[in-house]
Amino acid sequence: PHPESADHSVIEVRTAASTEIKNEDAKASMTVASIDLNEGDFAIIRGRVACVKRDHGREYRIHKPNDLNDHIERLLLARGMKSADITWGEEDPLQVQSGKGRRKIQKFLIPARTFLATIKITDLSLFEAAYLEGIGRKKSFGLGMFSIVTSV
């Protein structure tokens, strides 16, 4: 079946461990892809980050393109990557719902944007941690995760 059909699910597993599959039935229905990257290598990554920053205990929304570029460059540098090129997608806010049971349910938006970046890996261990854990704020809501589109 096609990966996007109702009969097929795509699950991305992020691991630095061996991906050996012992169950023959599972192996027949799975595709395992891997990519080898080292310090100094270039890669293209795609992700979605929260467009917020903290300053003196307050959270601020990031609007301007130059501020967005500075924001993502700082996030990437802290996680072992240097950006060579960044392309931003449209604003893509994440709607979150809080509260349950007798508490009043509140909905709020987290400002977010998708990005496509060409990066150079400057520290492999920091890069691996970023790939597994994400970058930036609001990771508990799924923001900050990125996928490797291709190595360059």
Side-chain angles (χ1 to χ4, degrees):
H2 191 271
E4 296 174 3
S5 73
D7 299 337
H8 191 87
S9 296
V10 175
I11 300 172
E12 183 172 346
V13 177
R14 297 167 184 247
T15 179
S18 170
T19 56
E20 182 181 346
I21 300 167
K22 295 185 173 145
N23 181 311
E24 291 301 318
D25 292 333
K27 190 183 288 188
S29 65
M30 296 175 73
T31 302
V32 176
S34 66
I35 186 169
D36 290 322
L37 294 169
N38 297 296
E39 280 186 25
D41 287 353
F42 285 86
I44 298 173
I45 62 173
R46 173 182 293 127
R48 183 177 179 202
V49 293
C51 296
V52 292
K53 65 179 179 178
R54 274 206 180 274
D55 190 17
H56 303 293
R58 295 196 57 198
E59 207 165 69
Y60 296 94
R61 187 174 177 170
I62 303 169
H63 291 285
K64 299 176 184 171
N66 286 344
D67 292 344
L68 286 169
N69 286 339
D70 291 345
H71 177 64
I72 192 78
E73 285 177 15
R74 278 194 305 275
L75 294 176
L76 293 174
L77 279 173
R79 294 304 209 133
M81 297 170 266
K82 180 165 177 38
S83 64
D85 181 49
I86 301 169
T87 304
W88 290 97
E90 293 297 315
E91 244 184 87
D92 186 17
L94 176 67
Q95 184 172 336
V96 179
Q97 182 174 308
S98 69
K100 60 183 176 181
R102 294 182 181 197
R103 290 180 37 195
K104 183 179 179 183
I105 294 175
Q106 297 179 344
K107 293 181 181 180
F108 59 95
L109 293 177
I110 299 173
R113 279 188 183 243
T114 56
F115 70 91
L116 185 69
T118 302
I119 54 108
K120 179 179 181 180
I121 300 170
T122 57
D123 185 314
L124 191 57
S125 62
L126 287 175
F127 173 78
E128 286 175 349
Y131 184 70
L132 295 172
E133 300 164 8
I135 59 174
R137 304 188 61 71
K138 310 295 184 190
K139 292 187 290 279
S140 60
F141 295 107
L143 296 173
M145 301 306 289
F146 64 89
S147 297
I148 301 168
V149 177
T150 185
S151 59
V152 179

